[in-house]
């Protein structure tokens, strides 16, 4: 015979398969310390409302601390028939302090309780994730400063386009991650709203000071509609949305690391301590870590879609469907936190092949625009300048020499206006220096951005 809290109402015991199907203890045990934290604060609120004596409060608190110690020591046995973490804590408490344990649930429902626990879990993990994202940004900014002299081809359509600083390329990811950080902050703000004190759906019938309760639990606000409070999982969607986008950014960076470390690119070497070998091909060094980050992006994006789908058909207020929110959230954090940490640590040890990058960045074809721009500065219409440049490019390809190595008399054949000065424009450094409008790859701009982000990340 099963022993659920509500079993007095039932003439029939629950079907064993249904018990197993409905139980969430297999995963919501991760909420144990948040559940106890919530109960400690709620007991205090009950005492303040005159529903518990000081003595009763003391015993309940003591009992809850013991349950917490028991959980942390791995000594609380999880039983499927006790359904979920809330029942487990209450049963364990009652076993310790007797019938008094039953007073804790006064005015409270598992509906406002679970919403509170999940939010506490998320607040805690969001803070960790925000910290991790900041550390990751700091690594990228440090790398950008370290590599400030290194050039790399900038690509569009994965075709060499114009030379940029490697630092500029790195700082593009810092911009993405800075927005990710902001999105996580907004998600944190929306998560930090206390549902406890909403009862099952209609509100708490006792004079609970919810504002004080929120303060005690570290929430920055309280909910203002009990129906919404027990059924709102917007915060979970916002968290997974921010997480999915963050993961997409990490995935794009990973993809570049994988490509750039290939023999075809040869731009960088991943630290061996983050790579694996092949059991068959001795020459292989495989970029497993960035590949896994790229691969794990799928599950996080999946959690966002899963949660949206979970919510879309639910009438107000709480429905058991909601129980399905937890694994998505847990897995989101359990995927994101190590992904950010391991990729950041790997980035901090990345070696780049500067000569190879500089060489690739000096591809003459990428300075063709600069040749045209020089002619434009001399007063030629861009169309004509473009054509002159195109003829010079063709000549350099046919003669197999760099654009910058074409002798002046030859260049003059393409246009008489060309002088010795043009060679100054045909250097990748000069090409970048010209791009001095805010946001461009000029060295002084990039340095300014590095300093701006360093200040922000302090
Ligand atoms: N395990 C449940 C969940 O995760 C707790 C809330 C149960 N509430 C209820 N009315 N059955 O959602």
């Amino acid at each position: 015979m099963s022993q659920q809290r509500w079993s007095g109402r039932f003439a029939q015991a629950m079907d064993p398969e249904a018990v197993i199907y409905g139980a969430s203890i297999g995963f919501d045990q991760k909420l144990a310390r948040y559940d106890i934290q919530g109960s400690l604060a709620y007991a205090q609120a009950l005492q303040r409302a005159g529903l518990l004596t000081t003595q009763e409060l003391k015993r309940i608190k003591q009992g809850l601390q013991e349950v917490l110690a028991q959980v942390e020591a791995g000594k609380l046995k999880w039983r499927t028939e006790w359904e979920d973490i809330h029942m487990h804590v209450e049963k364990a408490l009652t076993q310790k302090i007797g019938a008094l344990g039953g007073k804790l649930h006064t005015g409270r429902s598992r509906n406002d309780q679970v919403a509170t626990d999940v939010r506490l879990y998320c607040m805690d993990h969001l803070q960790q994730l925000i910290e991790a994202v900041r550390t990751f940004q700091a690594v990228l900014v440090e790398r950008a400063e370290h590599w400030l002299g290194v050039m790399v081809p900038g690509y569009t359509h994965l075709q060499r386009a114009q030379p940029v600083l490697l630092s500029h390329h790195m700082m593009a990811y810092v911009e993405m991650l800075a927005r990710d950080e902001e999105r996580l902050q907004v998600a944190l703000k929306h998560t930090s709203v206390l549902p406890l004190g909403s009862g099952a759906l209609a509100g708490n019938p006792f004079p609970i000071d919810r504002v004080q309760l929120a303060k005690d639990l570290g929430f920055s606000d309280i909910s203002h509609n009990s129906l919404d409070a027990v059924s709102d999982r917007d915060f979970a969607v916002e968290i997974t949305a921010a997480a999915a986008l963050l993961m997409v950014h990490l995935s794009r960076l990973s993809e570049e690391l994988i490509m750039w470390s290939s023999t075809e690119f040869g731009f960088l070497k991943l630290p061996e301590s983050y790579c694996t070998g092949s059991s068959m091909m001795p020459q292989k060094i495989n970029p497993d870590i960035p590949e896994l980050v790229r691969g794990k992006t799928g599950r996080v994006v999946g959690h966002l879609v899963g949660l949206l789908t979970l919510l879309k058909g639910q009438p107000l207020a709480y429905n058991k469907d909601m129980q399905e929110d937890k694994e998505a959230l847990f897995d989101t954090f359990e995927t994101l936190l190590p992904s950010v940490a391991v990729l950041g640590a790997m980035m901090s040890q990345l070696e780049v092949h500067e000569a190879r990058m500089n060489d690739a960045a000096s591809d003459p074809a990428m300075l063709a625009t600069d040749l045209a721009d020089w002619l434009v500065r001399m007063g030629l219409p861009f169309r004509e300048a473009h054509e002159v440049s195109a003829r010079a490019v063709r000549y350099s390809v046919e003669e197999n020499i760099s654009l910058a190595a074409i002798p002046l008399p030859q260049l003059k054949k393409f246009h008489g206006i060309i002088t010795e000065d043009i060679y100054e424009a045909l250097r990748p450094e000069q090409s970048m220096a010209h791009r001095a409008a805010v946001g461009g790859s000029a060295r002084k701009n990039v340095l300014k951005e590095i300093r701006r982000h360093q200040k922000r990340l302090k």
Side-chain angles (χ1 to χ4, degrees):
M1 178 76 183
S2 65
Q3 300 221 324
Q4 276 90 354
R5 265 277 167 268
W6 32 261
S7 62
R9 154 74 176 76
F10 288 80
Q12 268 191 337
M14 214 174 156
D15 175 83
E17 264 187 67
V19 170
I20 294 170
Y21 190 75
S24 54
I25 190 61
F27 48 88
D28 69 12
Q29 51 183 264
K30 287 182 182 160
L31 294 176
R33 75 186 178 86
Y34 305 101
D35 191 74
I36 293 169
Q37 186 188 355
S39 286
L40 284 166
Y42 192 68
Q44 188 80 61
L46 288 175
Q47 186 269 329
R48 273 195 295 261
L51 293 152
L52 290 177
T53 67
T54 323
Q55 196 49 36
E56 286 173 329
L57 172 65
K58 203 176 148 202
R59 277 176 62 208
I60 288 180
K61 278 189 166 179
Q62 216 159 26
L64 285 169
Q65 296 291 4
E66 282 171 34
V67 177
L68 180 61
Q70 199 180 344
V71 171
E72 279 172 354
K75 287 198 175 123
L76 185 63
K77 195 170 165 281
W78 307 122
R79 301 163 192 261
T80 312
E81 68 273 20
W82 286 359
E83 197 180 335
D84 59 25
I85 187 61
H86 324 293
M87 296 286 212
H88 275 75
V89 172
E90 191 175 333
K91 292 267 189 191
L93 176 67
T94 309
Q95 279 178 351
K96 286 184 200 302
I97 66 170
L100 173 61
K103 283 200 175 185
L104 180 58
H105 215 50
T106 309
R108 187 176 70 171
S109 156
R110 280 186 295 157
N111 299 351
D112 58 348
Q113 190 178 359
V114 73
T116 304
D117 292 5
V118 173
R119 282 177 189 260
L120 283 172
Y121 168 94
C122 288
M123 283 151 68
D124 193 3
H125 287 77
L126 275 171
Q127 270 149 5
Q128 291 175 40
L129 188 56
I130 289 167
E131 244 348 279
V133 171
R134 288 179 67 82
T135 305
F136 192 95
Q137 292 175 74
V139 168
L140 291 181
V141 173
E142 187 277 324
R143 292 284 82 191
E145 190 173 18
H146 179 76
W147 289 324
L148 200 52
V150 184
M151 301 180 298
V152 73
Y155 298 88
T156 59
H157 314 270
L158 199 56
Q159 306 285 320
R160 286 182 180 175
Q162 288 171 342
V164 293
L165 286 177
L166 172 59
S167 309
H168 195 50
H169 193 104
M170 286 298 133
M171 293 304 288
Y173 284 99
V174 175
E175 293 291 330
M176 295 177 225
L177 291 162
R179 292 193 295 272
D180 289 325
E181 185 189 328
E182 264 182 56
R183 275 183 282 268
L184 291 170
Q185 290 285 8
V186 172
L188 177 58
K189 177 174 180 274
H190 291 167
T191 304
S192 189
V193 179
L194 177 81
L196 196 58
S198 299
L201 76 163
N204 193 306
F206 302 106
I208 296 293
D209 183 347
R210 297 190 61 223
V211 173
Q212 187 57 48
L213 189 54
K215 273 191 200 137
D216 293 349
L217 284 169
F219 284 89
S220 44
D221 202 356
I222 62 168
S223 60
H224 288 270
N225 181 300
S226 58
L227 292 165
D228 178 49
V230 297
S231 64
D232 167 22
R233 295 295 184 275
D234 292 7
F235 69 96
V237 172
E238 289 185 57
I239 290 169
T240 42
L245 190 45
L246 166 57
M247 206 62 195
V248 165
H249 291 152
L250 298 186
S251 182
R252 295 183 73 177
L253 174 60
S254 295
E255 168 64 10
E256 291 195 331
L257 293 174
I258 294 161
M259 273 196 312
W260 286 15
S261 64
S262 70
T263 310
E264 278 66 19
F265 271 84
F267 281 179
L268 49 86
K269 185 171 176 293
L270 298 179
E272 274 181 20
S273 47
Y274 291 84
C275 294
T276 62
S278 156
S279 54
M280 189 188 206
M281 302 162 282
Q283 83 283 10
K284 297 283 299 290
I285 298 183
N286 298 327
D288 286 28
I289 298 299
E291 285 175 320
L292 275 173
V293 171
R294 190 177 59 185
K296 285 176 189 287
T297 304
R299 62 203 284 169
V300 180
V301 172
H303 293 322
L304 169 62
V305 178
L307 283 175
L308 286 167
T309 314
L310 172 69
L311 294 174
K312 77 173 274 290
Q314 290 192 52
L316 288 180
Y318 177 87
N319 303 280
K320 186 77 165 182
D321 312 42
M322 298 281 188
Q323 183 162 289
E324 292 289 311
D325 62 356
K326 285 162 212 61
E327 285 166 292
L329 285 165
F330 297 162
D331 189 68
T332 295
F333 286 112
E334 284 167 18
T335 303
L336 256 298
L337 284 166
S339 297
V340 175
V342 79
L343 199 61
M346 197 188 81
M347 288 300 295
S348 72
Q349 295 172 45
L350 201 64
E351 279 174 47
V352 303
H353 300 314
E354 297 190 14
R356 170 119 181 136
M357 281 185 171
N358 282 329
D359 201 46
S362 308
D363 178 350
M366 286 197 295
L367 298 171
T369 327
D370 295 275
L371 198 158
D373 290 344
W374 187 89
L375 292 166
V376 166
R377 284 189 198 98
M378 297 300 285
L380 249 64
F382 182 75
R383 278 275 166 265
E384 201 181 325
H386 185 273
E387 185 48 36
V388 173
S389 173
R391 269 183 270 138
V393 169
R394 181 169 171 183
Y395 179 86
S396 80
V397 171
E398 282 169 2
E399 299 299 313
N400 194 25
I401 56 170
S402 141
L403 202 58
I406 302 175
L408 189 59
Q410 182 61 43
L411 282 178
K412 277 188 182 294
K413 284 187 194 159
F414 302 130
H415 203 292
I417 207 171
I418 296 178
T419 67
E420 187 71 33
D421 286 355
I422 199 161
Y423 291 108
E424 180 54 22
L426 295 183
R427 294 188 310 115
E429 294 82 358
Q430 190 55 41
S431 165
M432 289 185 295
H434 274 140
R435 282 158 179 85
V438 175
S441 188
R443 185 191 163 100
K444 70 170 173 46
N445 284 4
V446 176
L447 191 58
K448 213 185 269 174
E449 294 303 325
I450 288 174
R451 296 284 175 255
R452 183 170 70 83
H453 284 287
Q454 277 171 339
K455 208 167 137 196
R456 181 178 62 80
L457 291 166
K458 230 184 229 145

